[in-house]
Amino acid sequence: MALTPRLSGQVAARAHHSPAAAALQKIEPFFAIGQVSGGPLLIATVLALIIVNLPVGADYIRLWDRAVRISYGAWSFSRPAAEWINDALMPLFFLIIGTEVKREFVKGSLASLRTGVFPIAGAIGGLIVPVAIYLAFNLGTPTQHGWGVVAAMDTAFSLAIVAMFTTRLPPAVRAVLLAFAAIDDVFGLAVIAFAYTPSIDLWFLALAEVAYCGILGLLRLRWVAPIPYVLLGVIVWIGVFGSGVHPTIAGVAVGLLLPTRSRLSEGRFAERVQHPIDEFKQAHAAAEQADDPTEAEEQRDSAQQQLGYIHEMTAATDEAAERLVRVLTPWVSYIVLPLFALSNVRIHLSSTLIAEAAHAPLAIGVVAGLVVGKPIGFLLATWLATRLGTATLPDGVTWRMVLGIGGVAGIGFTISLFIAELAFADPIQAEQAALAILVASIVSGVFGYLMFWKAAGALREA
């Protein structure tokens, strides 16, 4: 989600060889391969804003609203293309989020009980205060049911901003933000499930639960082959989707199951592969020296058998969670998130919309809830938790960094847009909410960046 130490080293090395690389070093985290990055999402957002406001904007929106049909014989299922992206592709992003969060709580900066409570407390404050602020402007009005818009944050953009300081801030900052973002997004998904879902089909929900328990069972049996996990994961998605709950929550739920420890330690690996390596060397040498083609073929087969054993032992040293993140992140960063922005950003910028939004309780409540409510809620809740002794600041994290985390939490793009579409059937209200989300995201991003910049400067002076 942010630059790993190895990637950070690569970026620093490039700066010594190329002035252009040095100039681009600051934005490298937005486009890092192998990490979920916000750069492609940002470009897609700007591109969608431009296209929607061109004369072809209406045709562009109709393109994403065109039905994509899946049929087999008499059975047929149809949904708009944009909804397929939201429901079928975005769960992959939340699968990564759930996986990363589990790693941080199991073996990362939040592994201890008191540091783990820290982001949980912040997430509670980051939910209650923004919703209270929104309702302060909209309670008793036709737009009061839109309170869920301020319930969640955008993980990709916020982590990309933190990644810009990856070598200047403690690793725990990213861990706290990641955990806060995941918990915050789960709250947002719960809001969708219980506040904006007309009805829940319990039979489909039971199907998802059975498949979920099936994954747990395979993990207990230490099943290695990935195909059963993939099939059960798809069934979990089908069950959640069919139940009426937003299927992105299936991604988080499955991600939380993935093992964060390898099946084989490096020490045990060294013990187990030494003999096969020796056997491989002998078989390979014998194959090279054999005059009889049949004997040479037998020795090559023996060498390949040893290679297969070594390959499997090597794979056993890899964490399932890390492997999944490594495989999925390029697809999520460069395809899934940009497609989400291209299909969901539909703000027709006009003087009329801006003027109406500037005086509309809906837009004011969204901006105030995200820009003010998120940082205040996160800061107050974590401060109170530490004062009560139930939580403690992770190593190296200062309260200014905590305020920066709360600041970038006001970037409410993905889930906020989801909820806005569900909450507001009136196109005018939906556009006002989307514009408010965009404005709040920009302001929150700048504020969070400045807080991290000042915190990094204070560390450098110290």
Side-chain angles (χ1 to χ4, degrees), residues 120-152:
I120 296 175
I124 295 173
L127 172 70
I128 294 175
V129 175
V131 170
I133 290 177
Y134 178 87
L135 290 177
F137 288 97
N138 291 272
L139 189 63
T141 71
T143 57
Q144 71 174 15
H145 63 284
W147 57 269
V149 173
V150 298

Side-chain angles (χ1 to χ4, degrees), residues 104 114 162 168 179 268 305 338 453 462:
E104 293 296 344
R114 294 180 69 192
V162 170
R168 292 180 284 165
R268 293 285 292 166
Q305 184 178 9
W453 179 69

Side-chain angles (χ1 to χ4, degrees), residues 29-213:
F30 279 85
F31 299 93
I33 298 293
Q35 309 290 325
V36 172
S37 48
L41 176 61
L42 177 62
I43 292 174
T45 300
V46 174
L47 184 61
L49 276 172
I50 293 173
I51 296 176
V52 166
N53 288 277
L54 291 175
V56 297
D59 294 328
Y60 175 78
I61 293 175
R62 279 195 294 270
L63 174 68
W64 293 110
D65 287 339
R66 184 172 298 174
V68 176
R69 186 182 306 275
I70 297 177
S71 59
Y72 182 78
W75 179 85
S76 179
F77 184 75
S78 177
R79 288 176 73 84
E83 291 187 18
W84 277 115
I85 293 169
N86 295 346
D87 296 341
L89 295 184
M90 284 301 287
L92 295 176
F93 171 62
F94 289 96
L95 176 62
I96 294 176
I97 295 297
T99 302
E100 288 272 11
V101 168
K102 181 177 179 180
R103 290 174 65 189
E104 293 296 344
F105 274 101
V106 171
K107 57 190 297 186
S109 303
L110 306 175
S112 71
L113 177 62
R114 294 180 69 192
T115 55
V117 169
F118 190 86
I120 296 175
I124 295 173
L127 172 70
I128 294 175
V129 175
V131 170
I133 290 177
Y134 178 87
L135 290 177
F137 288 97
N138 291 272
L139 189 63
T141 71
T143 57
Q144 71 174 15
H145 63 284
W147 57 269
V149 173
V150 298
M153 61 182 285
D154 186 274
T155 309
F157 278 140
S158 59
L159 286 171
I161 292 176
V162 170
M164 298 175 72
F165 300 90
T166 187
T167 59
R168 292 180 284 165
L169 292 177
V173 172
R174 174 183 174 272
V176 171
L177 176 61
L178 181 62
F180 173 43
I183 298 166
D184 203 50
D185 285 340
V186 169
F187 283 164
L189 296 173
V191 167
I192 293 175
F194 297 106
Y196 299 108
T197 301
S199 61
I200 295 179
D201 191 317
L202 296 180
W203 288 107
F204 272 102
L205 210 56
L207 174 66
E209 184 177 354
V210 170
Y212 197 75
C213 291

Side-chain angles (χ1 to χ4, degrees), residues 398-416:
T398 65
W399 288 111
R400 179 174 283 172
M401 297 173 193
V402 171
L403 185 59
I405 293 171
V408 296
I411 305 175
F413 200 71
T414 47
I415 299 297
S416 293

Side-chain angles (χ1 to χ4, degrees), residues 355-381:
E356 290 178 350
H359 299 89
L362 187 163
I364 296 172
V366 170
V367 173
L370 291 174
V371 174
V372 180
K374 284 291 184 183
I376 289 179
F378 184 76
L379 183 64
L380 286 179

Side-chain angles (χ1 to χ4, degrees), residues 13 36 68 195 212 224 228 237 244 247 257 324 339 341 343 388 447 458:
V36 172
V68 176
Y212 197 75
V224 176
W237 176 85
L257 289 182
L324 178 85
L339 281 176
S343 60
L388 293 174
F447 174 76

